[in-house]
Amino acid sequence: MTKGRIVGIKRFEIHDGDGIRTTLFLKGCPLKCKWCHNPEAISSKSQVAYLKEKCIGCGECVSVCSAHAHSFFDGKHVYDRNRCVHCGKCVDVCLGDALTLYGREISPKEALKLLTEDGIFYNSSGGGVTLSGGEPLQQADFCMELLKLLKTEGIHTAIDTCGFAGKSDIDKIIDDTDVFLYDIKFYDNKKHIQYTGRTNKPIIENLKYIDIKGKPVEVRIPLVSTINDDQMEPIGRFLATLKHIRKVKLLPYYNFSSSKYAALEMENMLPAVETPDDRQITDAVGILKSFGLNAISGKE
Ligand code: SF4
Ligand code: SF4
């Protein structure tokens, strides 16, 4: 069985597909979107986040870490991530809740056990399980095995994907995926490369492929002021050529600072742009609707 590396699990989620859902977040993403609010999901490797503001200096981490990644210098706690082998022992004993391990490994059966705990809510609300990330298709074999188990239990399944994947990976999961939640950020490829680091060609081609296969798709568009608000027309024109787009949801980008970048010692590239106001959102929804799409604001 293929093990998956996960960032975490979120229960009682109502924004990741139909009904009440449990979302499993997988680690690793091929894109580097400059507005990403989930830096812990970008690297495919395990990471420990250390929030120094929360450290109460208890020293518990020093005593359990055989890699000597924790120490005290001048009375202050120091974490050396180069020594860390991500065993998670310090996270389990940290009294200040200053440490978080992102990237625990889990088997499909272990994941199924966690996900079926909420089964009663799926049945009563028409919900189910969503695999998200990061990019879940970076771990396509794990997703394939888990989705098969979920379908055997009769659970509705959704994949929340950026679409940057090989066709062979899509083929692994498509039969056991009930709905795709599919991100489109730009139709313009140059802008896509500029703001995500990757071409959007496979993203566009994979969406056409999923559409030909007849799978329902909910498209999600992050609306980032001054960065992709000129993309609604070309995106709308493209989506109007497809047959199985059941909804297009605009997700306004909120410019709040994330402490996760500092906790992971990652460079924060969040753009200093305004949050789209109601007028901008309404205008963008209107453009998408003018192409006959069932467009809505993610704020609704
Ligand atoms: S995760 Fe393990 S190796 Fe890394 S700092 Fe904590 S105890 Fe040490
Ligand atoms: S266990 Fe947590 S709170 Fe205690 S010294 Fe280590 S990081 Fe700080």
Side-chain angles (χ1 to χ4, degrees), residues 1 4 88 134 158 166 188 220 235 241 272 289:
M1 257 193 184
D188 181 292
R220 274 108 182 280
I235 290 175
T241 65
K289 279 188 169 169

mmCIF file with all atom_site columns, all heavy atoms in Angstrom, residues 1 4 88 134 158 166 188 220 235 241 272 289:
data_model
loop_
_atom_site.group_PDB
_atom_site.id
_atom_site.type_symbol
_atom_site.label_atom_id
_atom_site.label_alt_id
_atom_site.label_comp_id
_atom_site.label_asym_id
_atom_site.label_entity_id
_atom_site.label_seq_id
_atom_site.pdbx_PDB_ins_code
_atom_site.Cartn_x
_atom_site.Cartn_y
_atom_site.Cartn_z
_atom_site.occupancy
_atom_site.B_iso_or_equiv
_atom_site.pdbx_formal_charge
_atom_site.auth_seq_id
_atom_site.auth_comp_id
_atom_site.auth_asym_id
_atom_site.auth_atom_id
_atom_site.pdbx_PDB_model_num
ATOM 1  N N   . MET A 1 1   ? 0.824   -1.208 0.000   1.00 0.00 ? 1   MET A N   1
ATOM 2  C CA  . MET A 1 1   ? 0.000   0.000  0.000   1.00 0.00 ? 1   MET A CA  1
ATOM 3  C C   . MET A 1 1   ? 0.860   1.261  0.000   1.00 0.00 ? 1   MET A C   1
ATOM 4  O O   . MET A 1 1   ? 1.852   1.335  0.715   1.00 0.00 ? 1   MET A O   1
ATOM 5  C CB  . MET A 1 1   ? -0.881  0.007  1.253   1.00 0.00 ? 1   MET A CB  1
ATOM 6  C CG  . MET A 1 1   ? -2.301  -0.390 0.947   1.00 0.00 ? 1   MET A CG  1
ATOM 7  S SD  . MET A 1 1   ? -3.389  -0.032 2.309   1.00 0.00 ? 1   MET A SD  1
ATOM 8  C CE  . MET A 1 1   ? -4.900  -0.727 1.663   1.00 0.00 ? 1   MET A CE  1
ATOM 9  N N   . GLY A 1 4   ? 0.601   7.977  2.154   1.00 0.00 ? 4   GLY A N   1
ATOM 10 C CA  . GLY A 1 4   ? 0.420   9.371  1.771   1.00 0.00 ? 4   GLY A CA  1
ATOM 11 C C   . GLY A 1 4   ? 1.057   10.262 2.806   1.00 0.00 ? 4   GLY A C   1
ATOM 12 O O   . GLY A 1 4   ? 1.161   9.896  3.979   1.00 0.00 ? 4   GLY A O   1
ATOM 13 N N   . GLY A 1 88  ? 8.550   13.917 14.853  1.00 0.00 ? 88  GLY A N   1
ATOM 14 C CA  . GLY A 1 88  ? 7.333   14.427 15.488  1.00 0.00 ? 88  GLY A CA  1
ATOM 15 C C   . GLY A 1 88  ? 7.321   14.327 17.002  1.00 0.00 ? 88  GLY A C   1
ATOM 16 O O   . GLY A 1 88  ? 6.353   14.760 17.641  1.00 0.00 ? 88  GLY A O   1
ATOM 17 N N   . GLY A 1 134 ? -2.045  21.764 -0.878  1.00 0.00 ? 134 GLY A N   1
ATOM 18 C CA  . GLY A 1 134 ? -1.178  21.125 -1.844  1.00 0.00 ? 134 GLY A CA  1
ATOM 19 C C   . GLY A 1 134 ? -1.935  20.678 -3.091  1.00 0.00 ? 134 GLY A C   1
ATOM 20 O O   . GLY A 1 134 ? -2.998  21.165 -3.411  1.00 0.00 ? 134 GLY A O   1
ATOM 21 N N   . ALA A 1 158 ? -14.622 13.929 -3.768  1.00 0.00 ? 158 ALA A N   1
ATOM 22 C CA  . ALA A 1 158 ? -14.238 15.089 -4.585  1.00 0.00 ? 158 ALA A CA  1
ATOM 23 C C   . ALA A 1 158 ? -12.726 15.238 -4.540  1.00 0.00 ? 158 ALA A C   1
ATOM 24 O O   . ALA A 1 158 ? -12.095 14.919 -3.531  1.00 0.00 ? 158 ALA A O   1
ATOM 25 C CB  . ALA A 1 158 ? -14.908 16.358 -4.043  1.00 0.00 ? 158 ALA A CB  1
ATOM 26 N N   . GLY A 1 166 ? 0.033   14.822 -14.711 1.00 0.00 ? 166 GLY A N   1
ATOM 27 C CA  . GLY A 1 166 ? 0.102   14.026 -15.928 1.00 0.00 ? 166 GLY A CA  1
ATOM 28 C C   . GLY A 1 166 ? -1.266  13.395 -16.198 1.00 0.00 ? 166 GLY A C   1
ATOM 29 O O   . GLY A 1 166 ? -2.036  13.155 -15.266 1.00 0.00 ? 166 GLY A O   1
ATOM 30 N N   . ASP A 1 188 ? -4.199  33.338 -19.657 1.00 0.00 ? 188 ASP A N   1
ATOM 31 C CA  . ASP A 1 188 ? -2.962  33.817 -20.289 1.00 0.00 ? 188 ASP A CA  1
ATOM 32 C C   . ASP A 1 188 ? -1.763  33.036 -19.721 1.00 0.00 ? 188 ASP A C   1
ATOM 33 O O   . ASP A 1 188 ? -1.488  33.078 -18.515 1.00 0.00 ? 188 ASP A O   1
ATOM 34 C CB  . ASP A 1 188 ? -2.815  35.319 -19.973 1.00 0.00 ? 188 ASP A CB  1
ATOM 35 C CG  . ASP A 1 188 ? -1.580  35.913 -20.603 1.00 0.00 ? 188 ASP A CG  1
ATOM 36 O OD1 . ASP A 1 188 ? -0.460  35.544 -20.178 1.00 0.00 ? 188 ASP A OD1 1
ATOM 37 O OD2 . ASP A 1 188 ? -1.726  36.731 -21.506 1.00 0.00 ? 188 ASP A OD2 1
ATOM 38 N N   . ARG A 1 220 ? -12.905 26.750 -9.691  1.00 0.00 ? 220 ARG A N   1
ATOM 39 C CA  . ARG A 1 220 ? -12.645 27.790 -8.696  1.00 0.00 ? 220 ARG A CA  1
ATOM 40 C C   . ARG A 1 220 ? -11.640 28.782 -9.258  1.00 0.00 ? 220 ARG A C   1
ATOM 41 O O   . ARG A 1 220 ? -10.599 28.362 -9.774  1.00 0.00 ? 220 ARG A O   1
ATOM 42 C CB  . ARG A 1 220 ? -12.031 27.165 -7.445  1.00 0.00 ? 220 ARG A CB  1
ATOM 43 C CG  . ARG A 1 220 ? -13.048 26.653 -6.474  1.00 0.00 ? 220 ARG A CG  1
ATOM 44 C CD  . ARG A 1 220 ? -13.084 25.154 -6.442  1.00 0.00 ? 220 ARG A CD  1
ATOM 45 N NE  . ARG A 1 220 ? -14.114 24.730 -5.525  1.00 0.00 ? 220 ARG A NE  1
ATOM 46 C CZ  . ARG A 1 220 ? -13.960 24.704 -4.203  1.00 0.00 ? 220 ARG A CZ  1
ATOM 47 N NH1 . ARG A 1 220 ? -12.807 25.046 -3.647  1.00 0.00 ? 220 ARG A NH1 1
ATOM 48 N NH2 . ARG A 1 220 ? -14.942 24.308 -3.427  1.00 0.00 ? 220 ARG A NH2 1
ATOM 49 N N   . ILE A 1 235 ? -11.107 33.404 -19.481 1.00 0.00 ? 235 ILE A N   1
ATOM 50 C CA  . ILE A 1 235 ? -11.456 32.164 -18.762 1.00 0.00 ? 235 ILE A CA  1
ATOM 51 C C   . ILE A 1 235 ? -12.905 31.792 -19.081 1.00 0.00 ? 235 ILE A C   1
ATOM 52 O O   . ILE A 1 235 ? -13.217 30.635 -19.387 1.00 0.00 ? 235 ILE A O   1
ATOM 53 C CB  . ILE A 1 235 ? -11.253 32.320 -17.231 1.00 0.00 ? 235 ILE A CB  1
ATOM 54 C CG1 . ILE A 1 235 ? -9.764  32.410 -16.881 1.00 0.00 ? 235 ILE A CG1 1
ATOM 55 C CG2 . ILE A 1 235 ? -11.873 31.119 -16.494 1.00 0.00 ? 235 ILE A CG2 1
ATOM 56 C CD1 . ILE A 1 235 ? -9.473  32.690 -15.405 1.00 0.00 ? 235 ILE A CD1 1
ATOM 57 N N   . THR A 1 241 ? -16.851 26.595 -23.650 1.00 0.00 ? 241 THR A N   1
ATOM 58 C CA  . THR A 1 241 ? -16.709 25.552 -24.688 1.00 0.00 ? 241 THR A CA  1
ATOM 59 C C   . THR A 1 241 ? -16.849 24.150 -24.084 1.00 0.00 ? 241 THR A C   1
ATOM 60 O O   . THR A 1 241 ? -16.887 23.162 -24.814 1.00 0.00 ? 241 THR A O   1
ATOM 61 C CB  . THR A 1 241 ? -15.332 25.639 -25.392 1.00 0.00 ? 241 THR A CB  1
ATOM 62 O OG1 . THR A 1 241 ? -14.306 25.333 -24.423 1.00 0.00 ? 241 THR A OG1 1
ATOM 63 C CG2 . THR A 1 241 ? -15.090 27.009 -25.987 1.00 0.00 ? 241 THR A CG2 1
ATOM 64 N N   . ALA A 1 272 ? 1.087   42.565 -2.047  1.00 0.00 ? 272 ALA A N   1
ATOM 65 C CA  . ALA A 1 272 ? 0.425   43.611 -1.255  1.00 0.00 ? 272 ALA A CA  1
ATOM 66 C C   . ALA A 1 272 ? -0.673  44.228 -2.103  1.00 0.00 ? 272 ALA A C   1
ATOM 67 O O   . ALA A 1 272 ? -0.508  45.317 -2.663  1.00 0.00 ? 272 ALA A O   1
ATOM 68 C CB  . ALA A 1 272 ? 1.447   44.659 -0.835  1.00 0.00 ? 272 ALA A CB  1
ATOM 69 N N   . LYS A 1 289 ? -20.964 35.079 -16.021 1.00 0.00 ? 289 LYS A N   1
ATOM 70 C CA  . LYS A 1 289 ? -22.371 34.740 -16.324 1.00 0.00 ? 289 LYS A CA  1
ATOM 71 C C   . LYS A 1 289 ? -22.713 35.074 -17.766 1.00 0.00 ? 289 LYS A C   1
ATOM 72 O O   . LYS A 1 289 ? -23.531 34.404 -18.392 1.00 0.00 ? 289 LYS A O   1
ATOM 73 C CB  . LYS A 1 289 ? -23.314 35.502 -15.389 1.00 0.00 ? 289 LYS A CB  1
ATOM 74 C CG  . LYS A 1 289 ? -23.451 34.845 -14.030 1.00 0.00 ? 289 LYS A CG  1
ATOM 75 C CD  . LYS A 1 289 ? -24.534 35.525 -13.217 1.00 0.00 ? 289 LYS A CD  1
ATOM 76 C CE  . LYS A 1 289 ? -24.843 34.709 -11.975 1.00 0.00 ? 289 LYS A CE  1
ATOM 77 N NZ  . LYS A 1 289 ? -25.677 35.400 -11.034 1.00 0.00 ? 289 LYS A NZ  1
#
